[in-house]
Amino acid sequence: IRHCVEPGVSGYTPSDFPLARLDQPTVDRLLARHPDLEDVYPLSPMQQLFLSMEAGSARLGFEQWVFRLSGPLDPSALREAWEATLANHAMLRTAFVTDHVAEPLQVVKRRVSLPWAQEDWTGQDPAGVHPRLQDFLRSDRERGFDVGVAPLNRVALIRLSDQEHQLVWSTHHLYVDGWSWPLIFRDVGAAYSARCVGSEPRLAVPCQYGAYIAWLASAAPDSRSFWKERLAGFTSPTP
């Protein structure tokens, strides 16, 4: 016990990540690559599908959200709001590991730094803003993401005038679907409002994605039985 509580002493065993079914050498390799490891678990079936398709296209699953923000804006508060949101959601701090493992895994990091870019286009001819933005968005899509490096998120804030900004949030469908993005923007908005008045964001603790993976592990056998019974008699796809 005295040794374990000494500064700088840390480590994990397979029992720390029961959903992942790892052996000790694999745990050690993951920890060497991700020293700030928080959790490890398998992928959901939909994530497995996207990850397998990602191998054939670097941009498959890439999502790009583009917003025009009107009115006064505090860029520093907005950046801090995004950072607080990433800290609140384990899913947004996740990388995906496919090499030297029996099955693909998602690795949650304790801390990540959100890639953040700011540009000032206030001197741009208004007629040239749209084509310049299209070039920017095209270049951003071509960058894609390395799914093995967290986070699969980045934000660009482009100042057009004192009262107009363009916000580009790029992420990946491995992270976000139509049910989850409203929760992310809810947290960004709440954190931004708090930072604008000098307060620390107090975000509601969400249900983390690992709980869903654990539920899948317990519910999957019953799900297979249900669909086998439901689809009994079908021999080919219906129209």
Side-chain angles (χ1 to χ4, degrees):
I1 292 174
R2 189 178 303 111
H3 166 75
C4 291
V5 299
E6 289 178 354
V9 173
S10 63
Y12 289 107
T13 67
S15 62
D16 291 306
F17 313 116
L19 295 174
R21 300 186 296 275
L22 305 175
D23 57 23
Q24 189 62 52
T26 302
V27 171
D28 294 339
R29 285 196 298 271
L30 289 174
L31 188 57
R33 292 175 56 184
H34 305 278
D36 54 348
L37 190 66
E38 180 176 278
D39 205 353
V40 183
Y41 37 79
L43 280 62
S44 71
M46 188 62 75
Q47 285 179 309
Q48 293 176 23
L49 173 63
F50 266 90
L51 194 63
S52 64
M53 297 172 72
E54 172 82 17
S57 173
R59 295 194 298 273
L60 188 68
F62 182 89
E63 296 187 350
Q64 191 180 62
W65 300 72
V66 184
F67 301 93
R68 178 67 67 91
L69 307 180
S70 297
L73 184 72
D74 184 337
S76 296
L78 184 61
R79 182 174 186 174
E80 291 172 1
W82 276 100
E83 295 279 5
T85 301
L86 263 65
N88 199 38
H89 293 270
M91 188 71 249
L92 300 180
R93 293 180 274 109
T94 298
F96 296 85
V97 177
T98 59
D99 54 323
H100 306 297
V101 290
E103 61 176 337
L105 298 169
Q106 40 194 336
V107 174
V108 180
K109 306 186 74 172
R110 294 188 185 280
R111 289 169 296 275
V112 295
S113 179
L114 176 68
W116 178 273
Q118 282 184 230
E119 297 194 14
D120 190 339
W121 293 4
T122 53
Q124 175 76 51
D125 180 355
V129 169
H130 180 73
R132 184 175 179 181
L133 178 61
Q134 296 310 305
D135 288 344
F136 180 93
L137 297 177
R138 187 181 307 108
S139 176
D140 182 55
R141 290 192 296 269
E142 289 173 353
R143 286 176 60 190
F145 284 106
D146 179 352
V147 298
V149 179
L152 275 64
N153 285 272
R154 59 177 173 263
V155 174
L157 183 65
I158 301 170
R159 182 171 180 260
L160 304 178
S161 72
D162 290 343
Q163 299 293 316
E164 295 287 334
H165 291 76
Q166 197 80 45
L167 178 74
V168 181
W169 176 47
S170 301
T171 185
H172 201 287
H173 202 58
L174 285 164
Y175 275 9
V176 180
D177 63 7
W179 297 100
S180 51
W181 69 260
L183 306 179
I184 294 171
F185 289 125
R186 177 199 64 191
D187 279 5
V188 171
Y192 177 72
S193 296
R195 294 307 301 160
C196 282
V197 296
S199 299
E200 286 296 322
R202 296 183 179 275
L203 303 179
V205 178
C207 178
Q208 301 294 355
Y209 199 69
Y212 173 61
I213 297 297
W215 177 83
L216 279 180
S218 64
D222 293 335
S223 300
R224 283 193 292 269
S225 299
F226 171 84
W227 285 109
K228 283 182 179 180
E229 179 180 347
R230 191 74 172 175
L231 300 177
F234 284 95
T235 58
S236 64
T238 68

